[in-house]
Amino acid sequence: MSAQTDTPRKVSMIGLGTMGGAIARHIAQGGHELTIYNRTPERARKWRDDNPGLAHRIAANPAHAAQDADVVITCVGNDDDLADVVLGPNGVFRMLKKGGVFIDHTTVSARIARQISVEARDLKIHCVDAPMTGSQIGAEKGTLTLMCGGRDDAIEAARPIMEGYSSRIVHVGKAGSGQIAKMANQICIAGNVAALAEAVRFAQASHLDMGKVYEAISGGAAQSWQMDNRWKTMDAGEFDFGLAVDWMRKDLGLSLEEGRGLGVSLPIAALVDQFFSEIQAQGGGRLDTSAIIKRLPKKGK
């Protein structure tokens, strides 16, 4: 996307990992004045060097990033990381002005999303929890799907910025709702990728042409994003892309914790979480989630 905007704004991006770094590029290419910050300073400097001319400045800390900003976006690791960069002594909310917009793209608990929303309300800051899906490819192309929680006015204040790197923005409900939707998303992914792994091993063991099997089954009820994007790479034993097993386990942990609080049983999510723990034990925590197939012995080839 990265369409030129008619109303350039001062936007700060905190967290320059795979997803955050791509989002930052779209923001700058959309005509906004971009400030960047990463808790590992080397990563921020590398991003600046790899993207010459896009960053207006590198901030010294989150509060410095929020100084004079119209919009602050975070994409960090977990609840503790988010609490630190937003609510900590040098956090965003120390400096973000009244009427400013805060957008969080981290996948975290609904609890911390609600806590930050309450703090934002008291400071008269527009606050949106907007976890995303669409993978690294979606981030690079600007076609992410954002699941948003927050007040109507906050969503509308954030929308012009979010449209620069997403193709779908869904206002799910009040604060924390975006995180609940993302948990449901991860539960679906976990079940899909685990079943796909079994299907690939099954077809391999049957000595069938894997391309023909895919052609036969991908146009019907078995079709899924995982099948379209991971069948061939699973068959080839390639797992060096997409969401890492370590991060999926973090996300499933959030889902299972929320489920316990709701009194909801999630037996498939719990089982697949155990499967992913086996991949971690094999040293595959940084591999793509499709590496779940490595726990199944390969036969017939």
Side-chain angles (χ1 to χ4, degrees):
M1 288 203 169
S2 304
Q4 187 78 19
T5 179
D6 293 332
T7 54
R9 309 186 76 184
K10 294 181 178 180
V11 182
S12 294
M13 184 74 215
I14 296 176
L16 297 166
T18 300
M19 306 296 279
I23 289 170
R25 281 189 289 275
H26 288 294
I27 290 167
Q29 291 165 355
H32 301 290
E33 182 181 297
L34 175 68
T35 292
I36 57 173
Y37 171 78
N38 199 82
R39 288 170 300 150
T40 305
E42 292 78 11
R43 176 169 283 180
R45 290 193 289 268
K46 185 178 187 306
W47 191 96
R48 177 196 58 194
D49 295 343
D50 291 344
N51 300 274
L54 292 189
H56 175 71
R57 65 179 178 131
I58 297 178
N61 55 51
H64 184 219
Q67 187 174 6
D68 297 326
D70 299 309
V71 181
V72 175
I73 304 171
T74 50
C75 188
V76 291
N78 55 38
D79 282 32
D80 290 342
D81 298 332
L82 184 62
D84 181 52
V85 301
V86 178
L87 305 177
N90 290 310
V92 169
F93 283 5
R94 293 283 178 176
M95 292 298 295
L96 187 57
K97 62 189 177 184
K98 290 182 180 179
V101 178
F102 173 72
I103 305 167
D104 177 44
H105 291 312
T106 316
T107 298
V108 290
S109 69
R111 176 194 57 78
I112 190 66
R114 295 180 189 118
Q115 179 185 348
I116 288 173
S117 177
V118 169
E119 298 281 351
R121 180 195 64 198
D122 293 343
L123 294 169
K124 295 181 170 52
I125 292 169
H126 295 296
C127 180
V128 177
D129 58 281
M132 51 196 169
T133 188
S135 78
Q136 179 179 347
I137 295 171
E140 291 171 351
K141 291 184 176 180
T143 57
L144 293 167
T145 291
L146 307 181
M147 311 160 217
C148 302
R151 300 188 309 271
D152 290 345
D153 58 341
I155 303 298
E156 293 313 306
R159 187 180 296 275
I161 298 297
M162 297 191 297
E163 285 177 340
Y165 48 88
S166 63
S167 59
R168 180 183 299 178
I169 300 170
V170 181
H171 185 191
V172 182
K174 61 186 179 181
S177 299
Q179 297 298 341
I180 298 294
K182 179 61 182 288
M183 293 174 201
N185 183 80
Q186 301 305 78
I187 291 168
C188 290
I189 290 174
N192 282 340
V193 76
L196 182 63
E198 294 186 6
V200 169
R201 282 290 189 253
F202 176 76
Q204 287 173 339
S206 300
H207 301 284
L208 296 176
D209 182 314
M210 296 297 287
K212 291 297 185 182
V213 176
Y214 171 77
E215 182 182 355
I217 71 176
S218 62
Q223 187 274 339
S224 68
W225 186 97
Q226 294 294 330
M227 179 178 287
D228 290 345
N229 290 274
R230 298 293 182 258
W231 177 275
K232 292 180 181 179
T233 54
M234 274 184 165
D235 180 43
E238 299 171 355
F239 313 111
D240 192 24
F241 44 75
L243 179 66
V245 168
D246 286 343
W247 290 116
M248 175 56 93
R249 286 214 72 205
K250 184 265 288 186
D251 294 353
L252 287 177
L254 293 171
S255 303
L256 293 168
E257 181 181 0
E258 190 72 25
R260 285 190 291 271
L262 294 170
V264 174
S265 175
L266 301 172
I268 293 176
L271 180 61
V272 178
D273 183 54
Q274 293 179 33
F275 293 163
F276 282 128
S277 74
E278 295 178 27
I279 303 303
Q280 286 180 318
Q282 296 175 15
R286 300 306 300 167
L287 298 177
D288 180 83
T289 52
S290 62
I292 195 171
I293 197 172
K294 289 168 65 67
R295 62 176 295 276
L296 301 172
K298 189 174 183 180
K299 299 178 180 180
K301 275 197 172 184

